[in-house]
């Protein structure tokens, strides 16, 4: 999907936001531009106005990024995912999000709260996606 979509964006908060930034950087080696921003208002605006030709990659260990503004008082609900026309792929450890109608594809992993392992898991996931992308589409510098 990453290759085939005209527009691809990656978003998250905290560690998840750094995963989106790392993913953007990694995919630049394959000449695939991934839009991301650390400005939460710009993220919401982008998501709200995204069209059918857009793939949204959301990094959210808890899955709450889809539903609420976790950094605002009382965590008000987030509506942008109800407005978007984009395809939403969520990377999360919250398996309940597979049932969420705002999520088209849920890619989950096992999370252990004894150790904050999701920053490491994000990096492994990003590397795995990049390897799969390179195996399928090649490395532009080799052409």
């Amino acid at each position: 999907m990453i290759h085939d979509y005209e527009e691809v964006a990656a978003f998250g908060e905290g560690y998840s936001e750094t995963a989106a930034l790392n993913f953007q950087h990694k995919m630049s080696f394959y000449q695939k531009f991934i839009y991301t921003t650390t400005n939460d208002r710009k993220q919401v605006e982008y998501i709200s106005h995204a069209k059918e030709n857009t793939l949204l990659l959301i990094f959210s260990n808890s899955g709450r990024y889809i539903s609420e503004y976790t950094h605002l008082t009382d965590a008000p609900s987030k509506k942008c995912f109800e407005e978007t026309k984009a395809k939403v792929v969520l990377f999360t450890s919250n398996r309940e999000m597979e049932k969420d109608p705002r999520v088209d594809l849920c890619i989950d992993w096992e999370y252990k709260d004894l150790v904050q392992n999701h920053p490491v898991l994000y990096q492994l996931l990003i590397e795995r996606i990049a390897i799969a992308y390179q195996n399928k589409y090649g490395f532009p510098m080799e052409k």
Side-chain angles (χ1 to χ4, degrees):
M1 288 186 288
I2 293 166
H3 180 270
D4 295 337
Y5 271 81
E6 220 174 288
E7 293 186 32
V8 180
F11 300 119
E13 291 177 338
Y15 285 130
S16 302
E17 189 169 58
T18 62
L21 291 166
N22 287 342
F23 186 69
Q24 178 191 50
H25 176 72
K26 178 61 78 172
M27 294 309 293
S28 71
F29 292 113
Y30 302 99
Q31 297 177 349
K32 181 65 180 183
F33 179 73
I34 308 295
Y35 174 79
T36 193
T37 179
T38 56
N39 183 318
D40 56 342
R41 289 184 177 137
K42 287 184 179 180
Q43 289 179 9
V44 168
E45 184 178 334
Y46 187 96
I47 293 164
S48 293
H49 295 98
K51 304 292 183 219
E52 293 89 356
N53 66 341
T54 304
L55 177 65
L56 294 175
L57 304 174
I58 306 301
F59 295 88
S60 178
N61 188 49
S62 66
R64 292 184 312 182
Y65 182 91
I66 299 285
S67 307
E68 60 191 54
Y69 295 98
T70 58
H71 296 299
L72 296 178
T73 305
D74 298 325
S77 64
K78 192 181 279 188
K79 303 287 185 214
C80 60
F81 285 95
E82 294 165 12
E83 299 166 353
T84 193
K85 293 183 174 106
K87 183 167 192 89
V88 177
V89 177
L90 175 64
F91 300 97
T92 187
S93 67
N94 182 352
R95 290 198 168 103
E96 290 297 310
M97 293 304 293
E98 292 176 4
K99 302 171 192 164
D100 193 304
R102 297 167 295 182
V103 176
D104 296 298
L105 175 62
C106 193
I107 299 174
D108 56 43
W109 60 80
E110 193 69 32
Y111 174 70
K112 304 292 183 201
D113 59 2
L114 182 61
V115 176
Q116 294 285 318
N117 65 350
H118 61 286
V120 174
L121 293 174
Y122 281 146
Q123 199 56 43
L124 293 172
L125 174 67
I126 290 166
E127 291 298 326
R128 181 64 191 111
I129 292 169
I131 289 167
Y133 195 93
Q134 183 173 341
N135 287 341
K136 188 162 185 174
Y137 301 106
F139 194 70
M141 302 304 183
E142 295 173 349
K143 294 180 181 180

